[in-house]
Amino acid sequence: MLVPTLLVLFFCLRGRAGLSPHFLQQPEDLVVLLGDEARLPCALGAYWGLVQWTKDGLALGGERDLPGWSRYWISGNAVSGQHDLHIRPVELEDQASYECQATQAGLRSRPAQLHVLVPPEAPQVLGGPSVSLVAGIPANLTCRSRGDARPTPELLWFRDGVRLDGATFHQTLLKEGTTGSVESILSLTPSSHDDGATLVCRARSQAMPAGKDTAVTLSLQYPPVVTLSAEPQTVQEGEKVTFRCQATAQPPVTGYRWAKGGSPVLGARGPMLVVVADASFLTAPVSCEVSNAVGSANRSTALDVQFGPILQAKPKPVSVDLGNDAFFTCVWRGNPLPRVTWTRRGDAQVLASGPTLRLPAVGPEDAGDYVCKAEPGLSGLGGGAAEARLTVNAPPVVTALHSAPAFLRGPARLQCLVFASPAPEAVIWSWDDGFLAAGSRGRFLVETFPAPEGRGGQGPGLISVLHISGTQESDFSRGFNCSARNRLGEGGTRVSLGRRDLLPMVRIVAGVAAVAMTLLTIITGVVLCCWRHSKGSSDASSSRGHEEEETGNGEDQGPIVHTDHSDLVLDEEGALEAKDPTNGYYKVRGVSVSLSLGEAPGGGLFLPPSSPLGPPGTPTFYDFNPHLGMVPACRLYRARAGYLTTPHPRAFTSYIKPTSFGPPDLAPSTPPFPYAAFPTPSHPRLQTHV
């Protein structure tokens, strides 16, 4: 009994001396969105020892920055006992149970559960974004949401902002028990009015109350919509009338059937019917039945004789905001009532029939001129067409115009084209460190001019020009924005400045100059070479004149000379060009040639010249030009009769004195052979017979 009493007395005395360590604030369960920051509070009183946090029983550490846990840290004044745990950004793995512990005092807070919410992804509508349905036949639309959304999202259907009933909901679970996917099935029976309707499937949960939407458009298959017309509508008996049956259908039309007064018209199969009118057409209307895979539709019309149509009320211009409906009214008077059609100017497609044209939910592409047309009457008078313009008020449309590249430190100009209705309040140019709507600022100047009229109904146009004086390096890398605003919104575009360098132009000029100098040098060399050869030929002709006087007409036979020579030159006709190797010492009579075959200096084979008794046109030598690949600087000369030289040391040639030498032959097809390019073979002796 003594020991328990002493212990009770000890604790009572200790309590009076001071407070024991205790929790001032403990963490509580917390729900946080994936990616956000989580904060678990913890405050201790009368304790200044080590404080640590645990996650599912695992100690995170006693330091404030919690090494090894990059997204975790402890905040608060440790002296005052504040030890709050922070986690940022929160991930799925952070969902756990957390405790705050005063280790030295043996205190543990109550466990706090951290719940991590994952927003749902946008759902998927099977068959979207456009689902094809058949009018009048029940169908199901399936909306599916996948992913790791927490908690499981709810799938709802909407049309024009109104929630639709009649959808069934079910979900599929994975093996671990987590949600794999959820589905919602909407059952509906569409009608032809649902064509083009938009339905929205929305996935929402506690993590995202607003939800995420996915839209799907209904594309309906429907029976044909038929328009039947007769031209002319009013006729006299005996005149021809053409009936045209126009139909829109999905899927396409498969057949036409014509009838008059309920009786089939034999042989009529296409969309057009031509008949000769009579009195029966006054009481027996003509009908056209059009069919497709979904169904059929029938239209009929009757003929009458009355006055032509007269315009009573012209359509008026209409200006509506983007997304609203536009209406045009055009009144024609006639008996019977004239057929009035609406088209867009420049387009033959009929948009509507009757005095009123309705364009639902207009967009910028609907702006333009619309034509109300009535066919003339029986007499050809009356009728006609009237136009009215639709202007769609929308945010400005800004387009970048072509801007020429600029030199560094030179002037530059950027342009943009703005179309808007109503007119824009201002056109503003902006860049990295500034903006300008009008006037000048530093190196920048803005000017605005009226633009040529755009497409009908597009609104007035403006051209805004940004002038830059003294371009800098940064001007070519930055982007310039041209934007405009009116009461319906704002539009803009990005304009970049191209750069032009001087170096490519210098290289082009230098290259052209080098080519020109090269061609000039080649031409000059060729001209000089030809001039020298021409001069040498004239000198040779004068020296040979005396020899021609001595030989006369070449009737006497002279001694024959056999020698070796290597400067044989042949022209394209087989004639021989010769130079007297004896320098006029021998007077050669007649022609007697023997030529041994051998290898030429260029590696080719020489053939003996043609015999005077041989057939004409026989080639005199082998053309070595393709093997040597050499191009002479000038053309060679040709003699009417002359000395024959051999290009090989083993060849023997008989010479006669030439009768005369002709002028140089400069025919383009003369095949030259530049023997001067090879060394002249040596002759150990000269063998002659006089």
Side-chain angles (χ1 to χ4, degrees):
M1 290 296 295
L2 181 60
V3 174
T5 302
L6 292 176
L7 290 175
V8 171
L9 180 62
F10 173 76
F11 281 110
C12 289
L13 293 176
R14 183 180 177 182
R16 292 180 180 179
L19 296 176
S20 61
H22 60 281
F23 282 101
L24 300 177
Q25 186 179 12
Q26 298 189 48
E28 297 180 354
D29 293 346
L30 180 63
V31 177
V32 64
L33 200 62
L34 181 70
D36 290 350
E37 179 179 346
R39 174 179 171 272
L40 298 174
C42 178
L44 292 166
Y47 179 76
W48 297 272
L50 177 65
V51 176
Q52 70 173 3
W53 283 85
T54 62
K55 174 184 177 181
D56 287 339
L58 176 65
L60 302 179
E63 300 181 13
R64 310 289 287 185
D65 57 353
L66 298 180
W69 303 82
S70 59
R71 296 179 292 105
Y72 292 60
W73 74 91
I74 298 175
S75 67
N77 190 346
V79 177
S80 61
Q82 196 71 31
H83 306 276
D84 298 341
L85 176 63
H86 293 261
I87 306 174
R88 186 179 63 191
V90 172
E91 298 180 358
L92 287 176
E93 62 185 29
D94 299 326
Q95 181 167 298
S97 177
Y98 295 85
E99 290 184 359
C100 179
Q101 299 179 356
T103 305
Q104 296 172 343
L107 295 178
R108 299 174 59 182
S109 69
R110 60 174 174 266
Q113 188 70 32
L114 177 62
H115 299 277
V116 179
L117 300 183
V118 180
E121 298 179 357
Q124 176 188 8
V125 178
L126 301 185
S130 179
V131 178
S132 179
L133 304 176
V134 178
I137 298 179
N140 294 330
L141 296 180
T142 301
C143 180
R144 181 176 298 167
S145 177
R146 297 180 180 273
D148 297 328
R150 299 184 183 182
T152 301
E154 179 184 15
L155 299 180
L156 305 174
W157 289 91
F158 294 87
R159 177 175 179 175
D160 299 331
V162 180
R163 181 174 174 178
L164 301 178
D165 298 328
T168 59
F169 178 83
H170 68 276
Q171 65 182 26
T172 303
L173 300 179
L174 299 177
K175 294 181 180 180
E176 294 79 4
T178 59
T179 301
S181 65
V182 292
E183 288 184 354
S184 177
I185 300 177
L186 176 66
S187 300
L188 73 162
T189 302
S191 65
S192 59
H193 301 289
D194 295 327
D195 188 31
T198 301
L199 303 183
V200 175
C201 178
R202 178 176 300 168
R204 70 181 185 183
S205 66
Q206 181 183 357
M208 182 174 287
K212 287 189 177 181
D213 296 345
T214 297
V216 62
T217 302
L218 300 183
S219 176
L220 290 182
Q221 295 183 356
Y222 51 89
V225 178
V226 182
T227 301
L228 179 61
S229 62
E231 296 180 0
Q233 184 70 37
T234 57
V235 295
Q236 293 182 356
E237 187 175 5
E239 293 182 344
K240 287 186 177 181
V241 179
T242 301
F243 293 90
R244 287 183 171 86
C245 188
Q246 298 176 341
T248 58
Q250 184 63 29
V253 173
T254 57
Y256 294 85
R257 181 177 179 272
W258 292 89
K260 176 189 175 185
S263 300
V265 178
L266 301 179
R269 294 289 184 269
M272 186 173 65
L273 175 65
V274 179
V275 298
V276 178
D278 56 28
S280 62
F281 284 92
L282 296 174
T283 56
V286 174
S287 62
C288 174
E289 183 180 27
V290 185
S291 304
N292 69 351
V294 177
S296 62
N298 187 294
R299 291 291 181 270
S300 62
T301 186
L303 300 178
D304 199 358
V305 178
Q306 295 293 334
F307 61 89
I310 300 174
L311 180 63
Q312 286 188 320
K314 295 182 179 180
K316 297 181 179 180
V318 176
S319 177
V320 297
D321 289 347
L322 182 70
N324 293 340
D325 295 349
F327 295 89
F328 290 95
T329 300
C330 179
V331 179
W332 295 84
R333 180 173 60 89
N335 187 20
L337 291 176
R339 178 176 178 270
V340 180
T341 58
W342 290 89
T343 60
R344 191 168 182 169
R345 187 171 68 176
D347 190 353
Q349 181 182 2
V350 177
L351 303 177
S353 298
T356 303
L357 170 65
R358 174 180 176 268
L359 301 175
V362 297
E365 67 279 0
D366 297 320
D369 296 325
Y370 291 84
V371 181
C372 170
K373 184 178 181 181
E375 299 294 336
L378 175 65
S379 62
L381 302 177
E387 294 184 2
R389 173 163 294 187
L390 171 62
T391 301
V392 179
N393 300 324
V397 177
V398 183
T399 305
L401 299 180
H402 173 72
S403 301
F407 293 106
L408 181 64
R409 301 183 183 87
R413 184 175 70 173
L414 302 177
Q415 304 178 93
C416 68
L417 176 63
V418 181
F419 284 108
S421 176
E425 302 168 1
V427 180
I428 301 176
W429 286 89
S430 60
W431 54 93
D432 295 342
D433 52 358
F435 64 92
L436 186 60
S440 60
R441 175 183 177 182
R443 300 182 297 112
F444 303 95
L445 171 67
V446 171
E447 293 180 318
T448 304
F449 308 95
E453 184 178 357
R455 184 168 59 86
Q458 197 173 17
L462 296 174
I463 295 179
S464 183
V465 182
L466 175 64
H467 298 275
I468 307 175
S469 61
T471 58
Q472 300 177 359
E473 286 286 352
S474 58
D475 295 334
F476 300 102
S477 58
R478 76 174 73 188
F480 295 86
N481 293 320
C482 177
S483 58
R485 173 181 296 176
N486 61 10
R487 65 178 178 83
L488 295 176
E490 181 177 356
T493 187
R494 183 182 180 91
V495 186
S496 299
L497 177 61
R499 181 167 181 171
R500 179 184 298 174
D501 295 327
L502 288 174
L503 183 57
M505 297 182 61
V506 174
R507 290 179 177 175
I508 293 174
V509 173
V512 172
V515 172
M517 289 299 296
T518 302
L519 293 176
L520 182 59
T521 303
I522 293 173
I523 294 172
T524 303
V526 171
V527 171
L528 290 176
C529 179
C530 292
W531 177 78
R532 289 178 180 177
H533 279 275
S534 176
K535 182 177 180 181
S537 174
S538 61
D539 294 342
S541 299
S542 60
S543 63
R544 294 168 184 165
H546 300 288
E547 298 178 3
E548 295 176 355
E549 295 176 358
E550 296 178 3
T551 58
N553 295 330
E555 297 177 355
D556 299 334
Q557 297 288 338
I560 298 177
V561 180
H562 296 277
T563 183
D564 294 337
H565 202 267
S566 61
D567 55 352
L568 176 64
V569 179
L570 304 179
D571 65 0
E572 62 179 351
E573 299 174 354
L576 302 179
E577 291 188 2
K579 182 177 180 181
D580 187 1
T582 63
N583 295 324
Y585 185 79
Y586 295 96
K587 298 180 181 179
V588 183
R589 309 291 183 180
V591 177
S592 175
V593 179
S594 65
L595 176 65
S596 64
L597 303 178
E599 294 184 353
L605 178 63
F606 284 88
L607 301 178
S610 58
S611 171
L613 301 179
T618 304
T620 58
F621 71 99
Y622 183 80
D623 187 4
F624 282 80
N625 285 337
H627 302 282
L628 298 179
M630 302 178 65
V631 179
C634 300
R635 298 181 178 91
L636 302 178
Y637 299 90
R638 183 181 63 188
R640 296 188 180 92
Y643 297 104
L644 177 63
T645 60
T646 60
H648 194 272
R650 294 179 295 172
F652 296 92
T653 308
S654 297
Y655 294 89
I656 63 172
K657 186 175 182 179
T659 57
S660 63
F661 284 87
D665 184 77
L666 300 180
S669 59
T670 301
F673 192 88
Y675 291 103
F678 302 96
T680 303
S682 61
H683 301 280
R685 60 188 179 90
L686 177 64
Q687 182 180 8
T688 60
H689 299 277
V690 181

